[in-house]
Amino acid sequence: MTEIVNSETHPAVRNKKTKRWLIPLIGLILLNILVVHFYKPIAPAISVKTESVLFDVLDGEVVEKPWFTLPLLGDVFLTNSLLSVGIIFIVILLLALEVHRQTKDGQIKAHGIVLLLELVISALTNMADGSVDGKWRKKIYPFYLSIFLYIAIANLTKLIPFFESFGFAVPVAHGGLQAHPWTSWFYAVTANHAAAGQQGYEVISFFRGAATDLNFTLALAITAVIAIQVLGFQAKGLDYFSKFINIKAVIRNPKMGFIDLFIGILETIAEIAKIASFGFRLFGNMFAGMVLLLFLGYMIPWVASSFIMLYEVFIGLLQAFIFGMLTVVFMGMAVRAEE
């Protein structure tokens, strides 16, 4: 009798697959130690402002070039954080294609990353069920889950090794770092400062974590707050805006109505403050994580930074969860019928 072996559950096959994953992992660790031994990470240049990847060098000064110009709005620059957004879209597209591949025949046979997504989505929706009325879940949950996935991928992709490590070696007029030319176009910039009479370089990285750009976090915050108002209007119509400007209360009872009018002003300020709360919380946490990783990578390249990477994975997922959960709670409050 022929014995059929299930490759997914058989211990020997599973152990063999695990060893296949360990080989490149160990290889990358050894490569990291080897490279750091010869090329110590350069001292980080911390900047809140993102860098344009389109530029000219004039007299040792970097002059940013606009990507294109929009009427009334002005120049638009192709920054390294914007390139990171492109990577986020590619990751989301690959996830969507994998989900489609596993469900295209009408039957869900989730495994691998799709099974992980299913478990995450199930956990997130279960936690939000108490905050959202049942009839509004189909409208709120897609936005809630999409914004969580988008921020989570943005926070995790910034931990890829080539983020903030590879970039343009730009010659500078004064100071700068030494660089060893490996080829005519590929340079290895060292941590040593250029000696007198020697050409110095600075590095403009190709990629930077999207959530470390205030434009990214504020854009998400504005989108979330607008979506909250749209759902509130869909649920209550024009009466929704009476919590901001309650003219009816002033007409019915002028004395108490002015109190309601003052409360409406406070409600308006609170809604606007949500943009700052959403945007600056996410930006502050992720920017602080980037600074911590850069400095520890410079001081203790291949020991402490590994543990901080694991910590940043946790913080990145936590910040995505907080942003999404606050959004779903505020949306639930906006559509909830007043008693």
Side-chain angles (χ1 to χ4, degrees), residues 1-5:
M1 180 182 293
T2 303
E3 181 181 359
I4 299 175
V5 178

Side-chain angles (χ1 to χ4, degrees), residues 172-239:
V172 294
H174 304 287
L177 302 172
Q178 291 180 357
H180 297 161
W182 287 6
T183 67
S184 59
W185 53 272
F186 190 79
Y187 287 72
V189 179
T190 69
N192 301 321
H193 291 280
Q198 188 179 25
Q199 177 64 66
Y201 294 85
E202 66 179 27
V203 178
I204 296 178
S205 58
F206 295 140
F207 300 99
R208 170 173 168 167
T212 63
D213 185 354
L214 193 55
N215 295 306
F216 176 85
T217 58
L218 286 179
L220 282 176
I222 292 171
T223 302
V225 171
I226 291 176
I228 291 169
Q229 312 313 316
V230 170
L231 281 170
F233 175 73
Q234 290 179 348
K236 302 176 183 178
L238 291 175
D239 287 340

Side-chain angles (χ1 to χ4, degrees), residues 274-288:
K274 287 176 184 176
I275 297 176
S277 174
F278 278 143
F280 284 100
R281 179 190 294 109
L282 179 60
F283 167 76
N285 281 280
M286 302 319 299
F287 186 80

Side-chain angles (χ1 to χ4, degrees), residues 221-281:
I222 292 171
T223 302
V225 171
I226 291 176
I228 291 169
Q229 312 313 316
V230 170
L231 281 170
F233 175 73
Q234 290 179 348
K236 302 176 183 178
L238 291 175
D239 287 340
Y240 172 75
F241 297 104
S242 63
K243 75 174 185 177
F244 303 117
I245 305 176
N246 198 343
I247 303 297
K248 293 181 180 179
V250 177
I251 296 174
R252 287 196 303 264
N253 188 342
K255 291 183 179 180
M256 297 300 297
F258 279 108
I259 296 177
D260 291 336
L261 191 63
F262 178 72
I263 292 174
I265 296 173
L266 296 180
E267 287 282 353
T268 304
I269 295 173
E271 290 296 317
I272 297 174
K274 287 176 184 176
I275 297 176
S277 174
F278 278 143
F280 284 100
R281 179 190 294 109

Side-chain angles (χ1 to χ4, degrees), residues 51-113:
E51 298 87 6
S52 173
V53 296
L54 301 176
F55 58 87
D56 288 324
V57 181
L58 301 176
D59 299 326
E61 297 291 333
V62 176
V63 180
E64 296 182 342
K65 294 167 56 179
W67 188 16
F68 55 87
T69 302
L70 292 176
L72 302 178
L73 297 178
D75 295 335
V76 177
F77 295 91
L78 181 61
T79 62
N80 43 17
S81 61
L82 190 57
L83 288 179
S84 301
V85 173
I87 292 182
I88 299 170
F89 287 154
I90 292 173
V91 172
I92 292 176
L93 178 61
L94 293 176
L95 288 175
L97 291 175
E98 180 62 19
V99 171
H100 174 72
R101 186 184 69 83
Q102 294 190 24
T103 60
K104 62 183 178 180
D105 57 355
Q107 295 181 356
I108 299 177
K109 297 177 291 186
H111 60 272
I113 188 66

Side-chain angles (χ1 to χ4, degrees), residues 8 17 59 71 131 146-147 219 234 284 330:
E8 296 294 330
K17 289 184 177 180
D59 299 326
S131 303
S146 297
I147 206 167
Q234 290 179 348
F330 288 137

